[in-house]
Amino acid sequence: MIQIRNLSKKFGENRIFSGIDLDIAKGEIVAIIGPSGTGKSTLLRCINFLETADTGSVRIDDVSCDIRSARKSDILALRRKTGFVFQNYALFAHMTALQNIAEGLTTVHGWKKRAACDRARQILEDIGLGDKGDHYPAALSGGQQQRVGIGRAMALDAKLLLFDEPTSSLDPEWVGEVLGLMQKLARRHQTMLVVTHEMQFARNIADRVIFMADGGFVEQGEPARIFSAAEDVRLKKFLNQIQIH
């Protein structure tokens, strides 16, 4: 369903990652873990062209983009296949929760405003915020804001949801409600690629865990093996540092 080939990215002379290959099956949940500064978030941004990689290609279903020859129409078609959940929520402060969810439907997918608002109300009910539609982000907790951010991505019926450290900006008391919503999506077999530092999520929810370090994928496999029988010394060191055994 999702096929990434030879993806590479540099900032100036600083190589972020190179030669990244990744296949994700429909309904699969893949978690990427690893030390800070290894390019995990940049990789996500390159997949849907929030950042432009230097080489490689990305294919989602029937839409394929070669980095060096992709046209604007190709990039837009690819983005329509994805939803992105940011670590800092990225909600529009001047819009209500309902408007934040409806916005992508009208601007990206061309829905009529009434239909988009009806869909947004359904999403708000689904994420447990049916009574918060008229609230602006400043009036919502961090956990509620992130759930609206996830709801915005859900509304687009994306083939692939990309999560960039979705709980890293949250106070501890709000982490559970966001992870609970992601578990709900997992039960619906939503395809997800999640950069996360929440090891329990990676262990319990992901179908596959990828350890990223030194500009590439070092080791990957089923969570049980990654967390209990890691092979690469860098992965073992990482798990020991965060006290996962």
Side-chain angles (χ1 to χ4, degrees), residues 166-204:
T167 61
S168 66
S169 296
L170 297 176
D171 291 334
E173 63 264 34
W174 307 124
V175 170
E177 65 184 67
V178 171
L179 294 180
L181 178 54
M182 294 174 70
Q183 290 174 322
K184 185 175 184 179
L185 291 173
R187 290 193 294 270
R188 297 177 181 177
H189 306 291
Q190 169 68 57
T191 310
M192 294 186 272
L193 180 59
V194 184
V195 168
T196 185
H197 65 279
E198 294 287 345
M199 294 301 118
Q200 291 305 316
F201 174 86
R203 187 201 293 267
N204 298 328

Side-chain angles (χ1 to χ4, degrees), residues 130-158:
D131 60 340
K132 302 295 184 182
D134 294 331
H135 287 57
Y136 289 90
L140 300 173
S141 71
Q144 290 170 339
Q145 288 185 61
Q146 190 59 294
R147 283 155 66 192
V148 172
I150 296 173
R152 177 176 56 189
M154 291 168 58
L156 303 176
D157 286 327

